[in-house]
Amino acid sequence: MNELHLFAGAGMKSCSKCGTPKPPEAFYRRGTGRQNQCIECSKAAAKDWYAANPEYRRTKARAWREANPDYVREYRKTNRRDIYLTESARKYGITREQYAQMLERQSEKCATCLLPFDWDDKQTKPHIDHCHTTGKVRGLLCNACNSVLGITNENIETLSNLIEYLKCHGSSAAQ
């Protein structure tokens, strides 16, 4: 018999995976009793299983999203900023603190057109601008300014030509 089982004590239960004696609350409920593995070991096993079966996880998540479109829509709407910041950390490697510092440095305005950012407006919510060659984050732009850079492939000559074009043909903004 495992030595840990001998010292489990009254009211304690030993995990079948790690063998550690723990109080009943450290085990998930099953019917009228408790599971054999502690919560920590159960979570670790589930994490390992999902890592080994990514297609199953994606299929299950997709099915849940499709079955609950109203919930997903509302969640995304009310958590827009958090979702974006989590995605930004994954894509660009910046922390929430670094993002907040960029917002503060730019007075919560687009770095080029100086329009104030608004999370509820697709055109004026902040977008992380980065160099597509180096991946380096440059700043925060509104959707329109970010799109202009993308459409012109960040080509300085093309952007200069656009400015000259507007000057020659009279732009209401240039006058």
Side-chain angles (χ1 to χ4, degrees), residues 117-132:
F117 291 128
D118 179 2
W119 281 94
D120 293 325
D121 178 19
K122 183 179 180 184
Q123 296 305 314
T124 58
K125 85 170 192 163
H127 291 264
I128 295 175
D129 173 47
H130 67 287
C131 175
H132 287 256

Side-chain angles (χ1 to χ4, degrees), residues 49-62:
W49 189 90
Y50 277 106
N53 298 280
E55 190 55 41
Y56 174 82
R57 180 183 40 137
R58 280 191 289 273
T59 302
K60 191 171 181 176
R62 187 178 305 115

Side-chain angles (χ1 to χ4, degrees), residues 3-9 12-15 18-23 27:
E3 287 181 42
L4 292 174
H5 291 274
L6 296 175
F7 300 106
M12 300 291 276
K13 176 178 174 132
S14 292
C15 173
C18 67
T20 307
K22 297 181 179 188
F27 297 82

Side-chain angles (χ1 to χ4, degrees), residues 63-75:
W64 186 90
R65 284 192 308 272
E66 289 170 359
N68 298 282
D70 294 336
Y71 179 86
V72 171
R73 192 177 310 107
E74 186 61 30
Y75 179 84

Side-chain angles (χ1 to χ4, degrees), residues 101-157:
Q101 290 168 355
M102 282 192 292
L103 267 178
E104 189 177 324
R105 270 195 309 273
Q106 293 180 210
S107 302
E108 300 204 16
K109 296 178 182 177
C110 174
T112 57
C113 71
L114 305 179
L115 281 175
F117 291 128
D118 179 2
W119 281 94
D120 293 325
D121 178 19
K122 183 179 180 184
Q123 296 305 314
T124 58
K125 85 170 192 163
H127 291 264
I128 295 175
D129 173 47
H130 67 287
C131 175
H132 287 256
T133 306
T134 65
K136 181 182 179 210
V137 172
R138 297 183 282 220
L140 301 171
L141 301 176
C142 69
N143 187 54
C145 294
N146 194 45
S147 295
V148 167
L149 283 181
I151 290 167
T152 61
N153 292 317
E154 302 177 8
N155 186 304
I156 293 172
E157 186 177 344

Side-chain angles (χ1 to χ4, degrees), residues 3 11 17 27 31 34 55 61 86 91 94-95 136 138 144-145 155 161 164:
E3 287 181 42
K17 177 96 172 173
F27 297 82
R34 300 284 179 162
E55 190 55 41
T86 300
K91 282 169 106 173
I94 65 169
T95 64
K136 181 182 179 210
R138 297 183 282 220
C145 294
N155 186 304
N161 291 343
E164 291 306 314

